[in-house]
Amino acid sequence: MSIDYKGKVAIVTGAGNGLGKSHAIALAARGAKVVVNDLGGSVDGSGGSISAAQEVVNHINAAGGEAIVNGANVTKEDEVAAMVKETMDKWGRVDILVNNAGILRDKTFHKMTLADFRTVIDVHLVGTAICTHAVWPIMREQTYGRIVCTSSPSGLHGIFGQANYGAAKAGMIGFMNALHLEGAKYGIKINLLSPSAKTRMTLDIGIPEPILDQMTPEAITAAMLFLVSEDAPSRAIVSCAAGGYARGYVVETDGIYLPPDDQTPEEIAARWDEISSTDNVHYYENSSGPSMNFMNKAKDFADKN
Ligand code: NAD
């Protein structure tokens, strides 16, 4: 089974460098018309130049693909609206959105300014919402859309010094969960990538060179390509690095039931190991899952007593 994107239009944010560049080139090589968006800043978000994104466009067009450059800042609603309008004027649809633009402002929390906290949330989480909001009505109208948001092991599992970044990346899980439910009847699928790869973002964090060399952006792009394909899943979190691929889930333990007289912190402390046991974990389709589990436990207790 070969996967292609002929006739599809894709927007990739932050596509001047690293993962976004690899995503844009691969989508174009497989037939998509691609908007290569990037404001061209440094890793911490300062500065700006369209030249890196333009080089990606030149590369795609020289290889026989179709791409246009766009310098919108994903945190600016008017610039994103203009990018989507330009895309619609040129190609008449938007099938794929890869929310990839990102920056770092790492600091331990006691040294982190709230300005740096807000800025990172703004680029990753609010930027993802702004770009998605701009294409959402188009995808609903088309009854077709594929959206990937770029989360991180930092959001799923935690990294020292990344309270801002981790919060933004974890926020994407809730964002995806809601849009998965809201988009289902319009043929819109939304998924998350949780990558680790050799890009300018990871050059200085102490990963040994031989390992870093295996962590290619192209390995991440393979998962992205699957997640925006016709037969993509929805609400999947795909963790990937160096050729390893796994699926992430938010799960809950089975837990216990405590009758009213036992609903005390002391009883919870006494039963903490049972509450925490991962022997029987649940993955729920939506937020009513835990309540149903607890109602069933309460009913079982009532039936037995
Ligand atoms: P990168 O710095 O090479 O690329 C990020 C790009 O986003 C840059 O070209 C930058 O100019 C652009 N950008 C930043 N702010 C923007 C804005 N407001 N509007 C438009 N473009 C903007 O980094 P990368 O490693 O390729 O990161 C891509 C995505 O993957 C990011 O969201 C990052 O957080 C995420 N990620 C990367 C890794 C990794 O190991 N490299 C791990 C987890 C998550």
Side-chain angles (χ1 to χ4, degrees), residues 17 19 38 41 73-74 100 124 150-151 165 169 195 197 199-200 202:
N17 290 290
L19 299 181
D38 206 303
N73 180 336
V74 297
N100 170 81
H124 291 276
T150 311
S151 185
Y165 184 81
K169 294 304 200 185
T199 68
R200 63 184 193 165
T202 47

